Amino acid sequence: MTILLDGNSLTLEQVEAVARRGEHVILAPAARERVRAARATVEGLLAAERPVYGVTTGFGKLSDVRIPPEQAEALQRNLLRSHAFGVGPPLAEDAVRASLLLRANVLAKGYSGVRPEVVDLLLECLNRRVHPVVPEQGSVGASGDLAPLAHLALVLIGEGEAVVEGHRAAGAAALARVGLAPLTLQAKEGLALVNGTCVSAGIGALALRDADALATVADITGAMAVEALLCSVRAFDERIQALRPFPGQVRSAANLRRLLENSPIVESHRDCPKIQDNYSVRCIPQVHGATRDALAYVRQVLTTELNAATDNPLVFPETGEVLAGGNFHGQPVGLALDLLAIATAELGAIAERRVDHLVNPLLSGLPPFLTPEPGLNSGYMLGQVTAAALASENKHLASPASVDSIPTSGGKEDHVSMSAYAARKAATVVANARRILTIEYLCAAQGLDLLRPLMPAAGTGRAHALLRERVPMLREDRPPGPDLEAAEDMIRTGRLRAAVEEAVGPLY
């Protein structure tokens, strides 16, 4: 598949396809013409020697310093060098690829004033898998993600470092290894490469894709726990949801009904004396559903941001104007990604409670810690401990980054968004929640084994059977690492959802 980048129609699905599956990207012809028109406007302003921020002036607090035209190239080069002040471990490859794609998409809109060659080289780095080494710390999300984007852009001029064909090399050597040559940036181009929220939004887009997938996985593992704990399905009745019709709640309840339809286990205790189940089971639609609705808002924000002009100043070829503004400010993204972290943390928090019920014989009615021979074996005792550790970690990570602000750039940037940190936190919360759901998957499957000869429903039974293809029932203690890895791989790759949908049809 080749993706045509036009600056206006990039989707979250395409971001993931490029970032993680290496889909090919080219600049759309219409976008190329818009880019050329904006560049012609910049060159006209240069010829007229008009003062334009970042073109004929310094940056930030130094915007009052005039730069003569003969120093334009040095100004752009020095901008990248000075702003590449990031620290910490490098961003993951998929995050770097998402950032490259989003920066190219911003420039493809035709409001940044760069030459088409700049967009082309960004896309060639993607297509030939030249991945700049970008330290993850250093952005406050104010004039966008200045430090990480400067590291990313340095490679385009043959500086900085990049990973290519598994080797870390200097920028020029990395480009040469795949037959590319560095650029000499012209007026405005260095500034256009570093202004904007592309790192925040890129990391956030991938985290959102993962969180969306987890919302359905949580319904699957939750349904398995419903059966293993001999709980009621009455709370998932469609009539109850209709009286509080939040879209996410309605969808989660529909998933649970489909997953548990005609369950022999549920039928076996239909007339039991228990009136109501614990909240972590009875309120699955309400909690999982609230997460779904929050993720829908995040999806709306990020879809807008993917195709937004977040550069500054912006070039308007129709009128010949260059307007300075604040579209680079990461506040919309930071707020949304803080919500992503909060919402996804709740998926993990409620799943941890179900894990605790599964391993606790006072609550489950199952053997202690889900082992057939407790005492000699500890079973899944530490599964719940690890889930608790991850859930507690997520509580701290879910504290919002976007409410914090430290003035920067000599007070010129006196309110910042911390969107990049919000993005990194959200991605970590999503990874932690996936591991908690992995533990629930293992424990719930073990609980279903311990209820035999009673059999689960078609949907939950397929989830159980898939796990047992690689993870046998835990009859005596063994190191859990390989089991966790296999189960998490089924969740992360989408195999779990796909297998269940083969049995019961599409899930929300």
Side-chain angles (χ1 to χ4, degrees):
M1 180 174 69
T2 295
I3 294 171
L4 281 175
L5 202 68
D6 62 10
N8 299 309
S9 59
L10 187 64
T11 67
L12 289 160
E13 292 77 13
Q14 288 174 327
V15 172
E16 184 177 25
V18 172
R20 290 175 171 165
R21 297 193 293 278
E23 298 293 356
H24 192 79
V25 192
I26 61 173
L27 183 62
R32 184 176 297 276
E33 292 308 310
R34 291 196 303 271
V35 171
R36 284 184 177 137
R39 183 62 200 173
T41 300
V42 170
E43 291 174 353
L45 294 170
L46 285 168
E49 298 187 4
R50 284 178 49 188
V52 178
Y53 171 72
V55 179
T56 58
T57 75
F59 308 103
K61 186 69 172 176
L62 303 176
S63 59
D64 296 330
V65 179
R66 292 292 298 274
I67 307 297
E70 61 269 20
Q71 293 183 327
E73 292 180 9
L75 176 66
Q76 303 304 310
R77 182 176 62 250
N78 288 344
L79 173 66
L80 300 190
R81 288 173 172 174
S82 65
H83 282 45
F85 229 111
V87 296
L91 290 175
E93 180 182 288
D94 60 353
V96 171
R97 290 182 60 80
S99 302
L100 281 167
L101 177 65
L102 297 192
R103 197 68 229 155
N105 200 49
V106 169
L107 302 184
K109 288 187 74 67
Y111 293 95
S112 295
V114 303
R115 292 166 296 156
E117 292 91 327
V118 177
V119 189
D120 289 336
L121 187 53
L122 283 168
L123 297 183
E124 284 303 315
C125 285
L126 276 172
N127 294 333
R128 304 191 197 194
R129 304 192 69 82
V130 178
H131 301 137
V133 176
V134 181
E136 68 177 15
Q137 293 171 295
S139 173
V140 294
S143 284
D145 299 316
L146 292 173
L149 284 174
H151 282 277
L152 185 146
L154 272 177
V155 174
L156 304 186
I157 65 171
E159 300 186 16
E161 290 185 293
V163 175
V164 59
E165 298 176 350
H167 300 280
R168 183 165 171 165
L175 293 173
R177 192 176 183 111
V178 294
L180 296 173
L183 290 170
T184 298
L185 296 180
Q186 305 297 313
K188 178 66 167 68
E189 291 179 337
L191 183 61
L193 285 165
V194 301
N195 254 324
T197 61
C198 297
V199 174
S200 301
I203 297 170
L206 297 175
L208 174 61
R209 291 290 294 162
D210 291 339
D212 274 337
L214 286 186
T216 302
V217 169
D219 289 342
I220 294 171
T221 58
M224 295 174 72
V226 168
E227 285 185 310
L229 292 167
L230 299 180
C231 291
S232 172
V233 298
R234 286 189 296 268
F236 314 141
D237 191 294
E238 189 172 7
R239 293 167 294 179
I240 295 175
Q241 322 313 318
L243 296 178
R244 198 193 195 193
F246 288 113
Q249 176 178 331
V250 170
R251 290 179 174 182
S252 277
N255 280 349
L256 291 164
R257 291 194 301 273
R258 176 164 289 186
L259 288 161
L260 295 166
E261 187 175 13
N262 298 321
S263 166
I265 292 176
V266 170
E267 187 60 34
S268 73
H269 62 90
R270 182 172 294 279
D271 299 320
C272 72
K274 186 166 63 171
I275 303 300
Q276 294 187 123
D277 296 306
N278 292 332
Y279 286 3
S280 62
V281 169
R282 194 189 343 156
C283 299
I284 289 176
Q286 288 76 15
V287 177
H288 291 192
T291 292
R292 287 174 175 271
D293 291 339
L295 296 182
Y297 169 73
V298 180
R299 194 175 309 118
Q300 174 190 337
V301 170
L302 290 181
T303 299
T304 299
E305 191 72 2
L306 296 186
N307 296 290
T310 57
D311 196 0
N312 181 60
L314 293 169
V315 179
F316 293 86
E318 318 85 58
T319 63
E321 294 177 281
V322 178
L323 302 179
N327 279 3
F328 50 64
H329 201 291
Q331 194 71 20
V333 175
L335 285 171
L337 295 180
D338 279 337
L339 178 59
L340 171 59
I342 293 168
T344 311
E346 284 302 287
L347 285 183
I350 194 170
E352 183 278 327
R353 288 292 79 207
R354 293 192 296 266
V355 169
D356 180 65
H357 292 179
L358 284 162
V359 302
N360 186 340
L362 299 178
L363 298 171
S364 69
L366 296 166
F369 306 110
L370 300 171
T371 179
E373 198 172 349
L376 177 63
N377 295 289
S378 295
Y380 283 104
M381 179 188 295
L382 266 290
Q384 187 269 328
V385 172
T386 298
L390 293 168
S392 290
E393 183 175 310
N394 275 356
K395 292 174 187 177
H396 289 272
L397 290 170
S399 296
S402 57
V403 298
D404 191 17
S405 178
I406 295 179
T408 60
S409 192
K412 175 73 77 170
E413 299 164 2
D414 58 347
H415 181 276
V416 305
S417 73
M418 297 306 299
S419 58
Y421 183 45
R424 291 192 293 110
K425 288 196 309 95
T428 303
V429 168
V430 171
N432 286 345
R434 181 170 56 242
R435 291 173 184 131
I436 296 171
L437 292 173
T438 298
I439 294 169
E440 181 177 29
Y441 188 20
L442 292 170
C443 290
Q446 182 80 358
L448 294 178
D449 285 326
L450 293 170
L451 290 178
R452 290 187 183 278
L454 290 173
M455 300 299 292
T460 51
R462 184 66 188 96
H464 176 273
L466 177 70
L467 182 67
R468 290 293 174 251
E469 290 175 11
R470 292 182 60 186
V471 179
M473 178 183 176
L474 188 68
R475 300 185 183 279
E476 58 182 23
D477 288 347
R478 60 176 180 260
D483 296 354
L484 286 163
E485 183 178 348
E488 185 175 357
D489 181 68
M490 292 173 184
I491 292 173
R492 184 178 51 251
T493 60
R495 286 187 62 212
L496 172 58
R497 177 174 181 167
V500 171
E501 288 184 329
E502 285 179 6
V504 300
L507 298 172
Y508 292 108

